[in-house]
Amino acid sequence: MSTPHALALQAINVSKRFGALQALDQVSLKLRQGSIHALLGENGAGKSTLVKCIVGFYTPDDGEVLLGERQQAIGNPRDAHELGIGMVYQHFTLIPNMSVLENLVLARPHLPAVIDWKKERQAIAERMQSMPFQLPLDASVNHLAAGEKQKLEIVKQLLLGVKVLILDEPTSVLTPDEADEVLGRIREMTRAAGLSVLIITHKFREVMTYADDVTVLRRGKFAGSAEVAGVDIRQLAEMMVGSEFSQTALARAAVAEQPLKLGIDALSVADDSGMSAVHALSLQVKAGEIVGIAGVSGNGQRELVEALAGQRPPSGGTIRVMGETYSGRRRELLRHGFHCLPEEPLRNASVPRMSVAENLAFRHYDQRPFSLYGLLRRSRMAAAAVQAIADFKVRPPLPNAPIGDLSGGNVQRAILARELGEQPNVLVVANPCFGLDFTAVTEIHARIMAARNAGAAVLLVSEDLDEILELADRIHVMSGGRLVYETTPAAADPIVMGRHMAGHGETAHAD
Amino acid sequence: MSGDTIDWITVLIAVFGGAIRVGTPFLFVSLGECLTEKSGRINLGLEGNLIMGAMAGYGVAWISGSPWLGVLAAGATGVLLGFVHALLCQQPRVNDIAVGIALMILGTGLAFFLGKPLIQPSAPHLPALHLGDWSDNPALRAALEINVLFIVGVILAPAMAWFFRSTRWGLAIRTVGESDDAARAMGLHVNGVRMLATMAGGFLAGVGGAFLSLYYPGGWSEGLSSGQGLMAVALVIFARWDPVRCLYASLLFGGAGALGPSLQSVGVTWGYYLFNAAPYVLTLALMIAASSTRVRSGMPGSLAAR
């Protein structure tokens, strides 16, 4: 281990303002050489803004970035590269139609005019030996699974010889197993090769297990910094959300009568290319229970939810709601009180250019009081929207603004207002909290739980294992279009579940 | 019976020769379109480039007396139109398809307007290699009269494939075509690369036009092009954005286009217009086939992300 107090990188009093928004206000951070430093914070706390200031993507309004002990002017990401700072972005910057080899070569700053592939392949194959991950050089990147892509991004930076590696939520697309592998190897590299790593995350478990130090941001301000060995999760959570933090365990009421409400029998669904994505899946959800479906994205969850929402015709099997055959028609949705909250609600559950009020009226626009003798009554819609907006705290509270102009969290709230504004009988929810901040997540979870307690049958499809463990009464793991494992939150072991998510530890190629 | 056999061989030879003759403009336009699309933009205006190129090439060849100067001039007008396309498309929220259609109409109209005085005069034609002199079969000799531009195109197609695969510039174009973000992260100037690719693509389409007026069918008239510039877009999709496959696809389209005249030459007179429609039927069929996901596999990411 290198001297524990030598600093690899230091940000001092960095501020950045976008228009009226003070995204960063006098934030400082010290990254020790050969350590992993976690940057923790809610969505919109300024984590990404800070690292983007460090790598020169943004120019800070105030403050400075020191590399080692020297002040460095980093004008753009290229400068950062020259100085040995590499960043892996949350959205992959790989080129899907090119091979692993081509992607690795392309990343090099000074490419020769004509590329000698034989020589490049040999050089990279040799250097690959010392890398923490091995990758097939000739595979096309679009045939790699998400985990392999993440590894490739990291290898790409390491091959460039970076000394400081910045990772933006590197484990968001990985199974717990893969996350452990990636973070474990990176930790080895910090010990062995003196690599210094700054990692943006919102997962406490990863901070506690892998990071040496942690800095917490809250609403663009420095909220605290500590050695991980000296803090516990509760302290970190308090730093993250401030004094508002109060972890109220969600009240899980026992529901006496539990008739079967949603029955799926041998359901098969094809994906866009006609390949079978869901294979003969059977599942039952009773009144007053939340059934969670965990899994890594791309294992048929999207197709399953679309089939339930009536957006995609099943290729086989039956769906029964309240004992009746269900095919996702509007009339059935209304009669059975079937509500669906798909992922990416802006794309899947709203018309972005129509107003919030119109979007809120989708379920009942053709019934009284919104419609009378075939004519829409906009004033009634607007009045109902004002109420719903107030109930669900949609901001800004403008019923006539196009819903597409709202932020992601507020679109989610608006759609939630539509689907949970009346008590659902059957509720299908997919990744309801993707990209939302801590406060919004807590609120949405509470509402889903309330719907369950009032007797709804809830099917929760989520890539967030913590969310499933918190909410579900029963848990299925979905992999390769099948339910491969069943457990309960009390008995669940995340590592075992992770193995099942990854198809028993085999790398699932999402082809 | 034996007469029939000979006729069919003649038809085959004529279709083969026609595939090269009719296919050459397809080849140049499709290579130009391929280059442009690899950078992540569709230029539907290449039909305009083609016609402007035909007109300008013919005019310059007539005035200068050199068909090769004509080819260069045709390419230059293509570069200019490509520049305009790229310049308009890089403005915020401008759609490349709409700009392409506008430029196609502009190019065609401008060519008709400027080309009025060129309908009468006769410009020197591009030279051809007579590869069939060993044969005494006139049909074969005619078919093997191969234009120099075709040879250039045949060399250009694999050269372009190599360029995309093994040169820094080729990789830059592919990167830009695959993902704006990835390209920016690499420090590439996305609009700059697209502009150069569109201009170079325009050059090739212009050269394709020069072939129309300076070799086959030859001369300048308003009915010179029959939509080759537009069909080339379908052809590039069919070729899965691979220059070498563009070559094969061009020959296929050329052969389809030569079917009508070839049948007529052996005295099959019925269905002449029906057979002339073969390339269009082929285009339609290919477009339908191209909507299957398998064919889209080579599609540049920026185009797929629309």
Side-chain angles (χ1 to χ4, degrees):
Chain A
M1 213 171 140
S2 52
T3 34
H5 294 296
L7 292 180
L9 187 135
Q10 208 177 345
I12 302 175
N13 295 332
V14 174
S15 298
K16 178 74 186 171
R17 173 182 282 278
F18 299 105
L21 177 75
Q22 186 76 46
L24 272 184
D25 189 7
Q26 305 269 315
V27 172
S28 299
L29 177 147
K30 288 177 178 166
L31 172 61
R32 288 185 294 156
Q33 179 127 35
S35 75
I36 296 185
H37 192 118
L39 188 55
L40 193 65
E42 286 191 52
N43 264 43
K47 297 168 296 189
S48 290
T49 310
L50 176 60
V51 295
K52 282 179 176 167
C53 284
I54 292 174
V55 297
F57 202 91
Y58 297 143
T59 315
D61 300 332
D62 196 17
E64 53 196 27
V65 174
L66 270 60
L67 193 64
E69 303 293 332
R70 281 203 323 269
Q71 193 192 338
Q72 282 293 350
I74 301 176
N76 59 54
R78 265 194 171 174
D79 287 357
H81 253 155
E82 305 266 323
L83 295 166
I85 305 175
M87 172 151 177
V88 174
Y89 295 87
Q90 208 174 352
H91 303 286
F92 293 134
T93 56
L94 298 170
I95 298 156
N97 274 331
M98 291 193 190
S99 69
V100 169
L101 179 67
E102 282 176 316
N103 268 284
L104 288 174
V105 169
L106 259 179
R108 240 173 50 192
H110 304 290
L111 273 183
V114 175
I115 294 148
D116 181 349
W117 284 112
K118 210 181 263 177
K119 210 180 81 193
E120 298 290 347
R121 156 186 300 280
Q122 213 173 1
I124 286 189
E126 251 166 52
R127 296 195 51 201
M128 198 67 139
Q129 313 261 311
S130 63
M131 286 294 128
F133 318 107
Q134 299 305 312
L135 293 159
L137 288 184
D138 292 309
S140 174
V141 165
N142 51 15
H143 292 175
L144 296 183
E148 286 175 297
K149 285 184 193 166
Q150 186 64 264
K151 291 175 190 172
L152 175 56
E153 287 277 15
I154 292 169
V155 165
K156 196 169 94 178
Q157 296 299 328
L158 294 177
L159 281 176
L160 291 171
V162 297
K163 296 183 189 70
V164 175
L165 182 61
I166 301 174
L167 304 171
D168 192 355
E169 307 231 356
T171 58
S172 57
V173 293
L174 306 184
T175 64
D177 246 8
E178 283 176 319
D180 283 334
E181 186 199 352
V182 167
L183 293 176
R185 289 287 168 78
I186 284 176
R187 194 178 159 90
E188 285 166 24
M189 298 265 321
T190 61
R191 299 300 178 265
L195 183 72
S196 312
V197 178
L198 181 60
I199 173 171
I200 297 182
T201 183
H202 62 259
K203 295 185 181 164
F204 291 124
R205 185 182 77 90
E206 289 167 4
V207 176
M208 300 312 287
T209 317
Y210 296 102
D212 299 295
D213 303 300
V214 56
T215 292
V216 184
L217 298 188
R218 182 169 73 234
R219 290 189 197 142
K221 291 201 174 77
F222 176 82
S225 184
E227 281 192 38
V228 170
V231 288
D232 63 28
I233 291 185
R234 177 143 191 114
Q235 287 170 304
L236 288 181
E238 263 178 28
M239 280 190 217
M240 221 166 112
V241 293
S243 51
E244 307 149 28
F245 181 74
S246 62
Q247 192 162 30
T248 45
L250 293 167
R252 194 181 291 272
V255 177
E257 293 270 310
Q258 292 202 306
L260 181 66
K261 287 195 168 177
L262 173 64
I264 300 171
D265 187 34
L267 183 73
S268 294
V269 190
D271 67 11
D272 291 335
S273 61
M275 303 281 286
S276 177
V278 176
H279 312 289
L281 182 141
S282 298
L283 179 71
Q284 272 98 36
V285 189
K286 289 179 290 193
E289 74 168 348
I290 299 177
V291 174
I293 294 188
V296 181
S297 74
N299 277 287
Q301 297 99 318
R302 192 166 65 88
E303 287 79 5
L304 172 65
V305 171
E306 284 176 356
L308 290 171
Q311 290 173 310
R312 184 180 286 272
S315 52
T318 52
I319 305 170
R320 286 178 171 276
V321 176
M322 309 306 290
E324 290 176 36
T325 308
Y326 163 90
S327 54
R329 290 180 201 283
R330 204 174 128 72
R331 196 177 298 163
E332 294 169 334
L333 291 177
L334 293 174
R335 186 172 70 228
H336 295 310
F338 190 105
H339 290 247
C340 187
L341 200 65
E343 61 185 350
E344 292 184 69
L346 188 61
R347 223 186 57 185
N348 292 319
S350 61
V351 181
R353 293 205 182 157
M354 287 170 84
S355 72
V356 174
E358 286 166 327
N359 273 284
L360 283 173
F362 276 179
R363 281 188 78 89
H364 299 295
Y365 72 93
D366 53 354
Q367 299 168 343
R368 290 181 183 217
F370 295 159
S371 172
L372 197 63
Y373 308 120
L375 293 176
L376 294 183
R377 298 158 93 194
R378 293 183 171 276
S379 55
R380 298 292 179 98
M381 283 187 196
V386 167
Q387 187 60 47
I389 284 171
D391 287 351
F392 283 77
K393 302 189 193 82
V394 179
R395 261 163 279 182
L398 305 171
N400 293 320
I403 198 168
D405 288 357
L406 302 185
S407 74
N410 283 301
V411 173
Q412 185 70 281
R413 279 203 185 88
I415 299 304
L416 211 61
R418 181 177 83 205
E419 301 298 334
L420 294 184
E422 53 189 12
Q423 169 61 25
N425 187 31
V426 177
L427 177 64
V428 175
V429 194
N431 293 315
C433 301
F434 205 77
L436 299 190
D437 65 37
F438 200 83
T439 330
V441 170
T442 315
E443 190 189 321
I444 289 174
H445 284 176
R447 290 196 188 267
I448 293 173
M449 188 57 84
R452 168 207 176 273
N453 291 345
V458 182
L459 182 65
L460 169 69
V461 179
S462 176
E463 289 161 39
D464 185 346
L465 202 47
D466 294 336
E467 178 170 83
I468 294 219
L469 291 172
E470 185 185 342
L471 290 177
D473 295 287
R474 284 191 294 129
I475 301 174
H476 287 281
V477 173
M478 188 162 181
S479 173
R482 292 186 171 85
L483 299 182
V484 293
Y485 181 69
E486 184 174 354
T487 180
T488 59
D493 175 351
I495 299 297
V496 175
M497 288 183 69
R499 291 228 172 90
H500 287 284
M501 285 182 195
H504 300 276
E506 293 158 15
T507 326
H509 282 266
D511 197 341
Chain B
M1 186 67 206
S2 69
D4 266 10
T5 320
I6 289 168
D7 275 352
W8 285 117
I9 288 175
T10 313
V11 169
L12 269 183
I13 292 172
V15 167
F16 167 75
I20 292 174
R21 238 185 355 256
V22 181
T24 305
F26 277 123
L27 175 58
F28 277 90
V29 185
S30 64
L31 287 178
E33 186 67 35
C34 183
L35 182 58
T36 311
E37 290 193 16
K38 277 277 190 191
S39 81
R41 251 193 215 135
I42 293 178
N43 185 357
L44 281 186
L46 289 192
E47 174 74 11
N49 289 30
L50 186 85
I51 299 175
M52 268 302 274
M55 188 280 296
Y58 197 73
V60 169
W62 172 53
I63 292 163
S64 70
S66 158
W68 292 108
L69 274 183
V71 169
L72 272 185
T77 57
V79 167
L80 200 68
L81 283 174
F83 172 74
V84 175
H85 185 272
L87 194 69
L88 291 177
C89 286
Q90 71 190 42
Q91 308 308 317
R93 273 181 273 173
V94 169
N95 177 284
D96 55 350
I97 303 282
V99 170
I101 292 173
L103 281 180
M104 173 169 73
I105 295 168
L106 174 76
T108 312
L110 209 57
F112 290 173
F113 173 68
L114 297 173
K116 282 281 180 239
L118 298 175
I119 296 176
Q120 283 300 324
S122 155
H125 273 198
L126 286 163
L129 301 177
H130 297 267
L131 300 178
D133 285 350
W134 48 270
S135 165
D136 49 8
N137 181 338
L140 195 59
R141 280 166 68 164
L144 287 178
E145 216 171 88
I146 298 205
N147 182 267
V148 178
L149 268 187
F150 176 72
I151 312 264
V152 174
V154 166
I155 297 168
L156 193 60
M160 200 189 265
W162 174 81
F163 169 80
F164 284 138
R165 194 174 55 240
S166 291
T167 67
R168 185 172 63 203
W169 280 88
L171 284 175
I173 290 176
R174 280 168 65 197
T175 307
V176 168
E178 288 298 336
S179 151
D180 284 23
D181 285 343
R184 279 200 200 96
M186 278 172 55
L188 286 171
H189 195 312
V190 173
N191 280 332
V193 172
R194 288 209 174 121
M195 171 157 295
L196 289 177
T198 312
M199 285 163 69
F203 180 89
L204 292 176
V207 171
F211 179 91
L212 285 179
S213 61
L214 293 175
Y215 189 76
Y216 180 84
W220 164 251
S221 73
E222 295 187 355
L224 195 60
S225 158
S226 43
Q228 283 100 327
L230 278 175
M231 280 191 276
V233 177
L235 201 149
V236 171
I237 298 172
F238 175 60
R240 276 184 263 163
W241 295 269
D242 176 338
V244 176
R245 280 200 287 252
C246 280
L247 171 60
Y248 303 145
S250 300
L251 290 175
L252 182 69
F253 271 69
L259 196 59
S262 307
L263 284 173
Q264 200 190 29
S265 72
V266 296
V268 179
T269 46
W270 61 270
Y272 175 70
Y273 290 101
L274 192 67
F275 287 119
N276 269 357
Y280 309 103
V281 174
L282 194 62
T283 309
L284 263 179
L286 291 184
M287 287 320 269
I288 293 166
S291 26
S292 94
T293 42
R294 197 170 47 82
V295 178
R296 292 166 87 102
S297 60
M299 182 182 254
S302 305
L303 299 182
R306 283 153 196 275

